[in-house]
Amino acid sequence: MIRIPKINFPQLKSKLQVKSPWDRIIIMLLSILITIPVFIILHQNLIDLNWAFNLDRIFIFIFVLAAIFFVLMYLRTIIIVCVALYLLVLVYGSVLGNYGFNEISEDYNSMIYTMSDNPFPQDIIVAKLLPFPNKSKIINAIEYQDPKVRNFAIMATNEHFKGIKGYSDYRTTIQCFAVFKEINSRWNYVNDPKEGDYIATASESIEYFSGDCDDHSILMAAAIRSIGGTPRLIHTKGHIYPEILIGSMIDLEKINYLIKNVLFVKESSGKKLHYHIDERGQVWLNLDYTAKYPGGPFMFEEILGALTLN
C-alpha cells in the first residue's frame, strides 16, 4: 500500500516566503502598479472637492495604495508565488519572441494613457476583460499609425465627399464615411485557410482589399482611426464587423439626414439606419462589409463582445 506523505503546510509556507525586506519591496511595487489604474477610475468618477494643491486626490491615492498594500501583504505568500510564476511565463515569452516583458510594458503604458484621457476609464478595464476572439492579434493588426493605412484613408477623403459644405461639426464623420465607401466598394470576400483563422494586418489588406470579415473590420477600424474617428469591433455569431461612434441621439438625427439626403441618397433610399446604443447612451453605426451605406442592415443583431478602440 502506497502511503501519501503528509504535507507540512507551515513548513512549505516558510520555504516559499521571501525574506524581509524584499517581500515588502515586491508588494509595494505591485501595489503601485495596481493603484494607478484604480486611482484614475476614482479620480474621474468622484466629485472634485477643489482642495488646495489637489490634496483630496493625494489623500485618495495614499488611501488606495495603503489599502491595496495591506491586502497584498496579508496574502503575500500566495501573491509572491503568483508573481514568480508570471515572471517565468514572461521570460519564456520573451525568449520565444511571444508575449514578454516588452509587450506587457507597452500594454500597461497604453492602458494608463488611454484611461487618463477617457471620461469613463473603468470601461477600458471592462473592455480588456471582455472575451473577444483573437483579441491581441486583432489589436496588433489595426495599424492605424502605418503610413500606408493613413495615406489610403487620406486618398479616400479626397475621392469622396470632399466638396460637401456646411457640416463642419461632422467633418471627421463624413471623412470616415468616405473611407467606408472606398473600402466597401472594393472589398472582395475571401475565406481563411481551412487550418484556422488568418488575421491580416491593415497594411496587408490594402494591397488587394480582400479577406474575410475580421480582415475587413481590421482595415476599416485602422483607416477610420488614422483620421480621427472612433471605431469599435463587434463580435457576434461567427462574425466580426466594425462600427463607428456617432455620438448622441441628436447627432444621429443629423447623421441620418446626411446619409439619406446628401451622402448615400440612392443606397439608403427607403431604408433605415441600424445602430447600437451602449451603456453610456452613445450611438454606434454599423459599417459591415455587407452594408451599402453607413448604418446598413446587421447580419446578426446579438452582441457577444465589443472591442473599442479609443
Side-chain angles (χ1 to χ4, degrees), residues 130-256:
L130 285 175
F132 202 93
N134 299 311
K135 188 173 183 178
S136 59
K137 290 183 179 180
I138 288 175
I139 291 175
N140 291 333
I142 301 174
E143 305 165 317
Y144 65 95
Q145 291 183 321
D146 187 286
K148 291 181 180 179
V149 175
R150 177 164 167 79
N151 288 340
F152 160 74
I154 292 173
M155 179 277 294
T157 64
N158 281 284
E159 190 72 21
H160 307 288
F161 314 138
K162 186 178 179 181
I164 301 297
K165 305 293 183 182
Y167 300 96
S168 58
D169 290 343
Y170 297 96
R171 180 180 59 190
T172 299
T173 303
I174 292 172
Q175 290 175 340
C176 290
F177 287 167
V179 169
F180 163 86
K181 185 177 180 70
E182 185 68 21
I183 292 176
N184 277 26
S185 64
R186 301 170 66 177
W187 192 257
N188 176 40
Y189 190 95
V190 178
N191 288 324
D192 282 338
K194 290 183 179 180
E195 288 74 16
D197 284 337
Y198 179 86
I199 307 297
T201 62
S203 58
E204 183 180 353
S205 293
I206 281 179
E207 294 292 327
Y208 297 104
F209 292 91
S210 299
D212 65 356
C213 60
D214 48 45
D215 301 326
H216 170 270
S217 299
I218 288 167
L219 176 57
M220 186 73 74
I224 285 176
R225 193 175 182 190
S226 74
I227 56 171
T230 302
R232 74 173 183 177
L233 304 188
I234 298 297
H235 169 223
T236 186
K237 297 177 181 178
H239 184 52
I240 293 175
Y241 64 92
E243 292 184 332
I244 183 173
L245 177 62
I246 295 301
S248 65
M249 290 300 294
I250 295 175
D251 294 316
L252 179 62
E253 291 179 8
K254 296 178 181 178
I255 292 298
N256 182 60

Side-chain angles (χ1 to χ4, degrees), residues 285-305:
L285 203 60
N286 178 33
L287 298 180
D288 205 347
Y289 76 92
T290 57
K292 303 300 181 184
Y293 60 95
F298 293 117
M299 286 184 66
F300 299 101
E301 186 76 27
E302 183 182 11
I303 295 179
L304 301 178

Side-chain angles (χ1 to χ4, degrees), residues 69-84:
F69 176 79
F70 285 118
V71 170
L72 295 184
M73 279 298 294
Y74 181 76
L75 302 170
R76 62 183 178 275
T77 301
I78 297 174
I79 297 297
I80 290 174
V81 170
C82 292
V83 169

Side-chain angles (χ1 to χ4, degrees), residues 75-124:
L75 302 170
R76 62 183 178 275
T77 301
I78 297 174
I79 297 297
I80 290 174
V81 170
C82 292
V83 169
L85 292 174
Y86 190 58
L87 289 175
L88 288 175
V89 171
L90 291 178
V91 169
Y92 179 78
S94 298
V95 171
L96 294 182
N98 296 323
Y99 195 86
F101 289 101
N102 287 335
E103 287 75 16
I104 193 173
S105 175
E106 290 175 0
D107 282 351
Y108 183 82
N109 290 333
S110 175
M111 181 187 72
I112 296 301
Y113 177 80
T114 306
M115 288 178 68
S116 63
D117 197 39
N118 193 302
F120 307 108
Q122 61 273 18
D123 291 352
I124 306 299

